[in-house]
Amino acid sequence: MARILIADDDAHVARVMGLWLQRHGHAVVSVRNGAEALSVVEAGGVDLLLSDMNMPVMDGVVLAATLRERGVSELPIIMLTARCDQELLAKRMAEYRVTVYPKPFVPSKLVEDVN
């Protein structure tokens, strides 16, 4: 069982991800923006971060960059986005060791990839 942090300002998306992951044995914590996610990660105990790209206060790109700059190098990050330039985005996020994942997503496929 992994402790997974979901950072997404869309409550419905966060809930769907959370329910699917919990049904497959994971512990889930959800926050609404990157600043809240940063606080939770820095407090410790997170095994994986699932983050939306576009969020208020701090977006996913700034969140990933900040985590890496602060030495959080081992935490896997999956960035979900509906942007149409996902290939370019994946290249940009490679320096932060972030996996870019498309929205809309298939919940069962997301769980499979998380596992």
Side-chain angles (χ1 to χ4, degrees):
M1 176 173 81
R3 183 167 184 236
I4 300 172
L5 174 60
I6 297 172
D8 199 313
D9 60 320
D10 184 324
H12 176 73
V13 170
R15 183 162 191 248
V16 168
M17 281 192 288
L19 288 172
W20 272 86
L21 292 165
Q22 288 171 340
R23 286 182 187 153
H24 289 86
H26 301 289
V28 175
V29 174
S30 294
V31 296
R32 305 283 302 222
N33 62 61
E36 291 174 3
L38 183 61
S39 295
V40 172
V41 169
E42 289 184 328
V46 174
D47 299 310
L48 171 67
L49 171 60
L50 290 174
S51 178
D52 186 19
M53 175 67 64
N54 297 315
M55 296 180 289
V57 183
M58 178 186 289
D59 70 19
V61 174
V62 174
L63 171 60
T66 302
L67 286 169
R68 298 312 190 216
E69 289 166 2
R70 292 187 182 181
V72 181
S73 59
E74 299 303 316
L75 179 67
I77 301 173
I78 296 175
M79 190 79 56
L80 293 104
T81 183
R83 288 176 44 170
C84 59
D85 63 341
Q86 291 178 14
E87 188 174 316
L88 178 63
L89 185 59
K91 288 178 184 175
R92 179 177 171 208
M93 297 307 293
E95 73 178 283
Y96 303 119
R97 294 173 314 284
V98 171
T99 301
V100 176
Y101 207 88
K103 277 185 176 179
F105 59 92
V106 176
S108 59
K109 174 76 169 117
L110 178 64
V111 169
E112 179 182 314
D113 290 346
V114 164
N115 289 336

